[in-house]
């Protein structure tokens, strides 16, 4: 009876995923692979799922570019889209190219466009899906320029299996760069959004020059054509445009108003995979940033973060801030023995035995405590951020060869003088008036603390070069600045390392 009861209790306990599974998943990008396969199955619903998945794994089109480029009128979408298509070998898909399709839907859309009526969402979605299913888009990829135009269109395309790998937004306003979570994605295929202030867009619109032969867009101030023949063609077109400049400004403002009403819904449809670029800068810079983004591939990884740095560098504070933001487990190694002492496990009992007899806990036992803590389900599921360890090179090597090897390492850099100054302030040693009023016993205690900090600093400096060799990919962050600035630098680097890697 007792055996049956124990079996039932075990059957209802949550399944514990071994740490080595997470390591393997990170190394081979398993999470991204599974998400892509499940997404494709849900969209296509094949009759033979196994055969379909085998073909999917062999599909050479997995890494072709599939990009959505969004932004207000006159922001430079078409210019950027043309350059990206030339660079990536992708098909440039615009509203104009959709209207050129020889089909019943294309004919209906052309008729509406000639009558200056808006193309219905369902018709536009049908046109986009039909165009992207053609062999050139399937084999070489595509860039949707200014499409979709509404949240409903974006959702309809997603339901139909049109899921971009990159979605971008270019802006001259202040927007968050990439909307991400560290461990999970609803969709793992990113987009690019361009935007700018109204004054910037009006100026660009007024100076716009179009080559009627090639369709290339130039500007009379910022991007004049180099070819004389192209400049002549653009000049003729420019004179035509200038004649109706006042009406053009009013029309652009109306278009901008309509865009602003729709942009929030569109960006929310791609919020997990959206990249925002500032369009109020030279076009070459916008292009370089866009290409760098499009040459990355998203992947989900469980964060295992190691913070290294001398005493006073702010490891504890930064670990807490990052853990709070990303729901990681904050593992402070200086507090591990206290955690183990209160834990009912076998390792906890071993630690209590030493502490109750006022004996130093051996290093071997400390490592056991460390490993058991990182193998707990909360660390395996949510990831962890570790600080105040490793203490020496042997600890570091042990960590790198264990199942709990970190996948992001940061060195907080700080000079010795600043380290001592910070620890002095922490222990009220910087205020000389307090020192003068302190009792003799307090002064001795303060001197002991200063000596301990100096010793700890010397030990860290001794091992710094070795730690950098053990963790050669560690990112160095300047810790001699405001804690919020340090946090933002760590956050930016952590996001980049967690979610992207170059093709």
């Amino acid at each position: 009876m007792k055996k049956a009861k124990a079996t039932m209790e075990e059957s209802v306990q949550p399944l514990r995923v071994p740490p080595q599974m997470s390591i393997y998943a990170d190394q081979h990008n398993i999470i991204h692979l599974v998400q892509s396969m499940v997404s494709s199955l849900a969209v296509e619903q094949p009759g033979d799922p196994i055969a379909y998945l085998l073909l999917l794994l062999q599909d050479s089109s997995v890494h072709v570019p599939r990009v959505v480029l969004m932004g207000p009128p006159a922001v430079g979408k078409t210019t950027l889209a043309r350059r990206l298509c030339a660079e990536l070998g992708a098909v440039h898909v615009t509203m104009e190219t959709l209207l050129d399709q020889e089909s019943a839907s294309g004919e209906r859309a052309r008729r509406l466009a000639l009558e200056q009526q808006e193309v219905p969402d369902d018709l536009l979605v049908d046109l986009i899906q039909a165009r992207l299913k053609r062999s050139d888009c399937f084999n070489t990829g595509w860039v949707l320029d200014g499409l979709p135009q509404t949240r409903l269109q974006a959702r309809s395309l997603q339901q139909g299996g049109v899921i971009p790998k990159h979605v971008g937004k270019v802006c001259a306003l202040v927007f968050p760069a990439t909307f991400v979570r560290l461990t999970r994605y609803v969709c793992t295929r990113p987009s690019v959004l361009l935007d700018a202030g109204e004054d910037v867009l009006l100026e660009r619109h007024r100076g716009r020059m179009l080559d009627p032969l090639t369709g290339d867009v130039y500007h009379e101030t910022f991007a004049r054509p180099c070819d004389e023949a192209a400049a002549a063609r653009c000049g003729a077109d420019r004179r035509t445009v200038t004649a109706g400049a006042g009406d053009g400004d009013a029309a652009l403002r109306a278009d901008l108003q309509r865009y602003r009403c729709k942009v929030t819904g569109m960006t929310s449809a791609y919020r997990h995979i959206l990249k925002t670029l500032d369009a109020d800068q030279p076009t070459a810079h916008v292009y370089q940033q866009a290409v760098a983004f499009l040459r990355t591939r998203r992947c989900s990884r469980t964060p295992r973060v190691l913070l290294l740095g001398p005493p006073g560098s702010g490891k504890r504070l930064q670990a807490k801030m990052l853990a709070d933001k990303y729901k990681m487990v904050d593992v402070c190694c200086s507090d591990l023995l206290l955690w183990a002492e209160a834990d009912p496990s076998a390792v906890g009992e071993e630690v209590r035995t030493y502490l109750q007899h006022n004996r130093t806990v051996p290093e071997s036992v400390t490592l056991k405590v460390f490993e058991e803590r990182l193998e707990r389900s909360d660390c395996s599921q949510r990831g962890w951020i570790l600080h105040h360890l490793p203490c020496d090179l042997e600890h570091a090597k042990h960590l790198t060869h264990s199942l709990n090897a970190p996948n992001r390492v940061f060195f907080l850099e700080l000079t010795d003088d600043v380290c001592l100054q910070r620890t002095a302030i922490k222990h009220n040693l910087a205020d000389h008036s307090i020192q003068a009023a302190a009792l003799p016993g307090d002064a001795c205690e303060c001197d002991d603390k200063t000596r301990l900090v100096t010793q700890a600093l010397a030990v860290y400096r001794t091992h710094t070069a070795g730690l950098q060799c053990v963790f050669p990919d560690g990112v160095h962050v300047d810790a001699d600045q405001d804690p919020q600035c340090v946090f933002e630098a760590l956050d930016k680097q952590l996001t980049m390392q967690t979610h992207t890697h170059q093709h």
Side-chain angles (χ1 to χ4, degrees):
M1 189 71 165
K2 290 183 178 179
K3 184 177 180 180
K5 183 177 180 182
T7 304
M8 289 181 61
E9 290 177 351
E10 291 179 359
S11 66
V12 297
Q13 290 179 352
L15 179 64
R16 182 176 180 181
V17 178
Q20 56 266 35
M21 184 176 292
S22 177
I23 301 287
Y24 181 83
D26 282 356
Q27 291 175 344
H28 299 280
N29 203 15
I30 298 299
I31 297 175
H32 170 78
L33 179 62
V34 171
Q35 287 178 332
S36 298
M37 293 170 69
V38 171
S39 174
S40 297
L41 280 175
V43 171
E44 300 295 340
Q45 299 181 5
D48 188 345
I50 302 300
Y52 173 80
L53 290 177
L54 290 174
L55 290 174
L56 188 66
L57 291 172
Q58 298 169 4
D59 184 7
S60 61
S61 69
V62 171
H63 301 310
V64 300
R66 300 186 184 107
V67 183
V68 167
L69 185 59
M70 300 186 294
V75 79
K77 297 187 299 297
T78 298
T79 300
L80 178 58
R82 282 172 171 265
R83 293 191 64 181
L84 290 176
C85 288
E87 172 72 21
L88 304 173
V91 178
H92 185 197
V93 181
T94 66
M95 189 66 176
E96 289 72 22
T97 61
L98 291 179
L99 294 178
D100 289 339
Q101 292 188 69
E102 296 298 331
S103 64
S105 297
E107 177 62 31
R108 180 185 168 199
R110 282 194 297 274
R111 191 164 54 252
L112 291 171
L114 289 174
E115 296 172 358
Q116 296 185 344
Q117 296 184 32
E118 189 171 344
V119 178
D121 287 342
D122 57 347
L123 178 58
L124 184 57
V125 168
D126 288 343
L127 288 171
I128 294 174
Q129 288 179 317
R131 182 65 187 91
L132 300 188
K133 286 180 180 179
R134 289 166 61 177
S135 60
D136 56 347
C137 288
F138 181 82
N139 294 324
T140 64
W142 41 263
V143 176
L144 285 177
D145 178 0
L147 300 167
Q149 299 174 341
T150 66
R151 175 183 171 83
L152 179 60
Q153 292 174 13
R155 289 301 190 193
S156 297
L157 288 172
Q158 289 173 340
Q159 291 171 4
V162 178
I163 303 176
K165 290 184 176 180
H166 294 80
V167 178
K169 158 183 172 179
V170 185
C171 66
L173 309 174
V174 179
F175 286 96
T178 305
F179 295 84
V180 295
R181 291 248 338 161
L182 279 179
T183 55
R184 294 180 181 86
Y185 270 96
V186 174
C187 173
T188 58
R189 298 174 179 178
S191 21
V192 183
L193 171 64
L194 309 180
D195 202 355
E198 184 172 307
D199 292 341
V200 174
L201 297 175
L202 285 170
E203 177 62 27
R204 290 192 175 187
H205 176 67
R206 290 165 185 159
R208 182 177 181 271
M209 301 171 68
L210 176 68
D211 186 337
L213 180 62
T214 64
D216 292 332
V217 179
Y218 301 95
H219 192 276
E220 63 179 1
T221 303
F222 307 118
R224 295 188 64 85
C226 299
D227 181 73
E228 292 183 2
R233 292 193 300 269
C234 289
D237 178 75
R238 178 81 187 109
R239 287 189 292 272
T240 303
V241 172
T242 305
D247 294 338
D249 286 358
L252 180 63
R253 286 193 173 94
D255 290 342
L256 285 174
Q257 181 62 35
R258 285 192 291 271
Y259 170 80
R260 299 299 183 196
C261 293
K262 298 175 181 178
V263 65
T264 302
M266 287 190 296
T267 55
S268 67
Y270 298 113
R271 63 185 181 278
H272 296 288
I273 53 173
L274 182 68
K275 177 69 175 180
T276 302
L277 297 179
D278 181 4
D280 191 13
Q281 56 180 322
T283 55
H285 294 177
V286 177
Y287 170 72
Q288 290 168 2
Q289 293 171 28
V291 169
F293 174 61
L294 297 179
R295 290 195 180 280
T296 62
R297 189 168 69 246
R298 295 273 164 165
C299 60
S300 279
R301 302 175 66 191
T302 302
R304 299 189 300 276
V305 184
L306 175 61
L307 282 185
L308 295 170
S313 58
K315 298 185 293 294
R316 185 185 294 268
L317 174 61
Q318 296 301 326
K320 183 181 184 305
M321 293 170 71
L322 288 171
D324 288 345
K325 178 172 181 178
Y326 294 112
K327 311 305 178 187
M328 295 182 286
V329 179
D330 183 359
V331 180
C332 177
C333 292
S334 61
D335 296 337
L336 272 181
L337 293 181
L338 297 176
W339 170 83
E341 186 180 12
D343 191 72
S345 66
V347 175
E349 180 60 33
E350 194 172 357
V351 170
R352 283 192 294 275
T353 301
Y354 284 101
L355 295 180
Q356 287 171 1
H357 292 85
N358 294 322
R359 294 164 58 192
T360 302
V361 180
E363 185 175 300
S364 59
V365 178
T366 302
L367 287 176
K368 282 184 186 177
V369 172
F370 163 69
E371 290 177 352
E372 179 167 322
R373 181 66 191 93
L374 295 189
E375 290 177 3
R376 291 291 179 96
S377 59
D378 57 346
C379 288
S380 297
Q381 295 171 6
R382 294 158 46 197
W384 45 261
I385 182 164
L386 176 68
H387 50 107
H388 292 85
L389 193 100
C391 304
D392 53 39
L393 295 183
E394 290 303 316
H395 280 180
K397 292 177 181 177
H398 176 82
L399 181 61
T400 57
H401 292 96
S402 71
L403 295 175
N404 297 298
N407 48 27
R408 302 107 179 147
V409 178
F410 298 98
F411 290 90
L412 299 182
E413 301 291 358
L414 207 61
T415 63
D416 289 1
D417 290 342
V418 177
C419 289
L420 291 172
Q421 183 183 17
R422 286 188 178 183
T423 52
I425 293 174
K426 183 178 179 180
H427 298 299
N428 293 326
L429 296 178
D431 190 340
H432 297 290
S433 62
I434 295 178
Q435 292 184 45
L439 297 174
D442 296 333
C444 292
E445 183 179 350
C446 290
D447 290 341
D448 290 340
K449 290 179 179 178
T450 304
R451 188 161 44 253
L452 289 174
V453 171
T454 304
Q455 292 173 355
L457 185 57
V459 170
Y460 177 79
R461 295 304 183 198
T462 302
H463 296 304
T464 298
L467 290 171
Q468 291 177 359
C469 291
V470 175
F471 304 110
D473 296 328
V475 178
H476 297 259
V477 177
D478 179 15
D480 189 12
Q481 51 183 330
D482 182 84
Q484 183 61 32
C485 295
V486 178
F487 169 74
E488 291 172 359
L490 288 169
D491 187 29
K492 180 180 179 181
Q493 290 293 332
L494 183 60
T495 299
M496 291 169 59
Q497 290 187 31
T498 301
H499 295 294
T500 64
H501 65 277
Q502 296 292 329
H503 283 306

